[in-house]
PDB file of all heavy atoms in Angstrom:
ATOM      1  N   ASN A 673     -21.298   3.876 -48.704  1.00  0.00           N
ATOM      2  CA  ASN A 673     -19.934   3.720 -48.266  1.00  0.00           C
ATOM      3  C   ASN A 673     -19.611   4.682 -47.117  1.00  0.00           C
ATOM      4  O   ASN A 673     -18.914   4.314 -46.178  1.00  0.00           O
ATOM      5  CB  ASN A 673     -18.997   3.927 -49.436  1.00  0.00           C
ATOM      6  CG  ASN A 673     -17.673   3.186 -49.265  1.00  0.00           C
ATOM      7  OD1 ASN A 673     -17.502   2.492 -48.256  1.00  0.00           O
ATOM      8  ND2 ASN A 673     -16.785   3.317 -50.209  1.00  0.00           N
ATOM      9  N   ILE A 674     -20.083   5.923 -47.227  1.00  0.00           N
ATOM     10  CA  ILE A 674     -19.883   6.915 -46.165  1.00  0.00           C
ATOM     11  C   ILE A 674     -20.602   6.478 -44.892  1.00  0.00           C
ATOM     12  O   ILE A 674     -20.067   6.618 -43.797  1.00  0.00           O
ATOM     13  CB  ILE A 674     -20.367   8.314 -46.625  1.00  0.00           C
ATOM     14  CG1 ILE A 674     -19.458   8.831 -47.735  1.00  0.00           C
ATOM     15  CG2 ILE A 674     -20.386   9.279 -45.456  1.00  0.00           C
ATOM     16  CD1 ILE A 674     -19.894  10.116 -48.359  1.00  0.00           C
ATOM     17  N   ILE A 675     -21.793   5.917 -45.042  1.00  0.00           N
ATOM     18  CA  ILE A 675     -22.557   5.440 -43.876  1.00  0.00           C
ATOM     19  C   ILE A 675     -21.801   4.316 -43.183  1.00  0.00           C
ATOM     20  O   ILE A 675     -21.682   4.289 -41.959  1.00  0.00           O
ATOM     21  CB  ILE A 675     -23.973   4.974 -44.288  1.00  0.00           C
ATOM     22  CG1 ILE A 675     -24.790   6.175 -44.776  1.00  0.00           C
ATOM     23  CG2 ILE A 675     -24.673   4.271 -43.136  1.00  0.00           C
ATOM     24  CD1 ILE A 675     -26.124   5.829 -45.367  1.00  0.00           C
ATOM     25  N   VAL A 676     -21.228   3.388 -43.946  1.00  0.00           N
ATOM     26  CA  VAL A 676     -20.472   2.269 -43.367  1.00  0.00           C
ATOM     27  C   VAL A 676     -19.254   2.797 -42.620  1.00  0.00           C
ATOM     28  O   VAL A 676     -18.963   2.373 -41.493  1.00  0.00           O
ATOM     29  CB  VAL A 676     -20.053   1.273 -44.469  1.00  0.00           C
ATOM     30  CG1 VAL A 676     -19.089   0.226 -43.916  1.00  0.00           C
ATOM     31  CG2 VAL A 676     -21.265   0.598 -45.066  1.00  0.00           C
ATOM     32  N   LYS A 677     -18.509   3.755 -43.213  1.00  0.00           N
ATOM     33  CA  LYS A 677     -17.335   4.332 -42.564  1.00  0.00           C
ATOM     34  C   LYS A 677     -17.732   5.043 -41.281  1.00  0.00           C
ATOM     35  O   LYS A 677     -17.072   4.922 -40.249  1.00  0.00           O
ATOM     36  CB  LYS A 677     -16.618   5.310 -43.509  1.00  0.00           C
ATOM     37  CG  LYS A 677     -15.818   4.622 -44.583  1.00  0.00           C
ATOM     38  CD  LYS A 677     -15.084   5.644 -45.427  1.00  0.00           C
ATOM     39  CE  LYS A 677     -14.269   4.957 -46.501  1.00  0.00           C
ATOM     40  NZ  LYS A 677     -13.605   5.889 -47.382  1.00  0.00           N
ATOM     41  N   THR A 678     -18.822   5.809 -41.319  1.00  0.00           N
ATOM     42  CA  THR A 678     -19.295   6.532 -40.132  1.00  0.00           C
ATOM     43  C   THR A 678     -19.668   5.560 -39.024  1.00  0.00           C
ATOM     44  O   THR A 678     -19.326   5.750 -37.857  1.00  0.00           O
ATOM     45  CB  THR A 678     -20.497   7.430 -40.487  1.00  0.00           C
ATOM     46  OG1 THR A 678     -20.120   8.311 -41.543  1.00  0.00           O
ATOM     47  CG2 THR A 678     -20.938   8.242 -39.295  1.00  0.00           C
ATOM     48  N   MET A 679     -20.375   4.477 -39.401  1.00  0.00           N
ATOM     49  CA  MET A 679     -20.773   3.477 -38.409  1.00  0.00           C
ATOM     50  C   MET A 679     -19.555   2.761 -37.832  1.00  0.00           C
ATOM     51  O   MET A 679     -19.479   2.474 -36.637  1.00  0.00           O
ATOM     52  CB  MET A 679     -21.741   2.468 -39.037  1.00  0.00           C
ATOM     53  CG  MET A 679     -23.125   3.062 -39.302  1.00  0.00           C
ATOM     54  SD  MET A 679     -24.242   1.911 -40.118  1.00  0.00           S
ATOM     55  CE  MET A 679     -24.427   0.668 -38.877  1.00  0.00           C
ATOM     56  N   THR A 680     -18.554   2.496 -38.681  1.00  0.00           N
ATOM     57  CA  THR A 680     -17.330   1.837 -38.226  1.00  0.00           C
ATOM     58  C   THR A 680     -16.594   2.719 -37.221  1.00  0.00           C
ATOM     59  O   THR A 680     -16.147   2.257 -36.169  1.00  0.00           O
ATOM     60  CB  THR A 680     -16.414   1.500 -39.419  1.00  0.00           C
ATOM     61  OG1 THR A 680     -17.137   0.675 -40.329  1.00  0.00           O
ATOM     62  CG2 THR A 680     -15.154   0.787 -38.966  1.00  0.00           C
ATOM     63  N   ILE A 681     -16.471   3.995 -37.541  1.00  0.00           N
ATOM     64  CA  ILE A 681     -15.813   4.939 -36.627  1.00  0.00           C
ATOM     65  C   ILE A 681     -16.580   5.030 -35.309  1.00  0.00           C
ATOM     66  O   ILE A 681     -15.988   4.997 -34.232  1.00  0.00           O
ATOM     67  CB  ILE A 681     -15.661   6.330 -37.283  1.00  0.00           C
ATOM     68  CG1 ILE A 681     -14.653   6.246 -38.434  1.00  0.00           C
ATOM     69  CG2 ILE A 681     -15.236   7.376 -36.266  1.00  0.00           C
ATOM     70  CD1 ILE A 681     -14.600   7.467 -39.315  1.00  0.00           C
ATOM     71  N   ALA A 682     -17.899   5.100 -35.375  1.00  0.00           N
ATOM     72  CA  ALA A 682     -18.723   5.167 -34.164  1.00  0.00           C
ATOM     73  C   ALA A 682     -18.541   3.918 -33.316  1.00  0.00           C
ATOM     74  O   ALA A 682     -18.455   3.986 -32.080  1.00  0.00           O
ATOM     75  CB  ALA A 682     -20.191   5.364 -34.522  1.00  0.00           C
ATOM     76  N   LEU A 683     -18.450   2.760 -33.977  1.00  0.00           N
ATOM     77  CA  LEU A 683     -18.260   1.497 -33.261  1.00  0.00           C
ATOM     78  C   LEU A 683     -16.889   1.462 -32.585  1.00  0.00           C
ATOM     79  O   LEU A 683     -16.767   1.048 -31.435  1.00  0.00           O
ATOM     80  CB  LEU A 683     -18.408   0.317 -34.223  1.00  0.00           C
ATOM     81  CG  LEU A 683     -18.283  -1.079 -33.605  1.00  0.00           C
ATOM     82  CD1 LEU A 683     -19.356  -1.290 -32.537  1.00  0.00           C
ATOM     83  CD2 LEU A 683     -18.390  -2.145 -34.669  1.00  0.00           C
ATOM     84  N   ILE A 684     -15.857   1.913 -33.271  1.00  0.00           N
ATOM     85  CA  ILE A 684     -14.506   1.956 -32.693  1.00  0.00           C
ATOM     86  C   ILE A 684     -14.479   2.866 -31.467  1.00  0.00           C
ATOM     87  O   ILE A 684     -13.909   2.529 -30.437  1.00  0.00           O
ATOM     88  CB  ILE A 684     -13.468   2.405 -33.749  1.00  0.00           C
ATOM     89  CG1 ILE A 684     -13.295   1.306 -34.807  1.00  0.00           C
ATOM     90  CG2 ILE A 684     -12.134   2.749 -33.110  1.00  0.00           C
ATOM     91  CD1 ILE A 684     -12.511   1.736 -36.021  1.00  0.00           C
ATOM     92  N   ILE A 685     -15.110   4.032 -31.581  1.00  0.00           N
ATOM     93  CA  ILE A 685     -15.164   4.967 -30.452  1.00  0.00           C
ATOM     94  C   ILE A 685     -15.912   4.339 -29.274  1.00  0.00           C
ATOM     95  O   ILE A 685     -15.486   4.435 -28.122  1.00  0.00           O
ATOM     96  CB  ILE A 685     -15.799   6.307 -30.877  1.00  0.00           C
ATOM     97  CG1 ILE A 685     -14.860   7.041 -31.841  1.00  0.00           C
ATOM     98  CG2 ILE A 685     -16.122   7.179 -29.661  1.00  0.00           C
ATOM     99  CD1 ILE A 685     -15.477   8.237 -32.530  1.00  0.00           C
ATOM    100  N   ALA A 686     -17.016   3.662 -29.555  1.00  0.00           N
ATOM    101  CA  ALA A 686     -17.808   3.030 -28.489  1.00  0.00           C
ATOM    102  C   ALA A 686     -17.009   1.928 -27.799  1.00  0.00           C
ATOM    103  O   ALA A 686     -17.020   1.808 -26.569  1.00  0.00           O
ATOM    104  CB  ALA A 686     -19.101   2.463 -29.055  1.00  0.00           C
ATOM    105  N   ILE A 687     -16.271   1.133 -28.566  1.00  0.00           N
ATOM    106  CA  ILE A 687     -15.463   0.057 -27.973  1.00  0.00           C
ATOM    107  C   ILE A 687     -14.338   0.649 -27.132  1.00  0.00           C
ATOM    108  O   ILE A 687     -14.052   0.170 -26.032  1.00  0.00           O
ATOM    109  CB  ILE A 687     -14.908  -0.878 -29.079  1.00  0.00           C
ATOM    110  CG1 ILE A 687     -16.062  -1.688 -29.680  1.00  0.00           C
ATOM    111  CG2 ILE A 687     -13.827  -1.810 -28.541  1.00  0.00           C
ATOM    112  CD1 ILE A 687     -15.687  -2.465 -30.934  1.00  0.00           C
TER     113      ILE A 687
END
Side-chain angles (χ1 to χ4, degrees):
N673 206 2
I674 292 174
I675 294 173
V676 171
K677 284 183 180 177
T678 304
M679 288 177 65
T680 302
I681 292 169
L683 182 60
I684 291 169
I685 291 169
I687 290 170

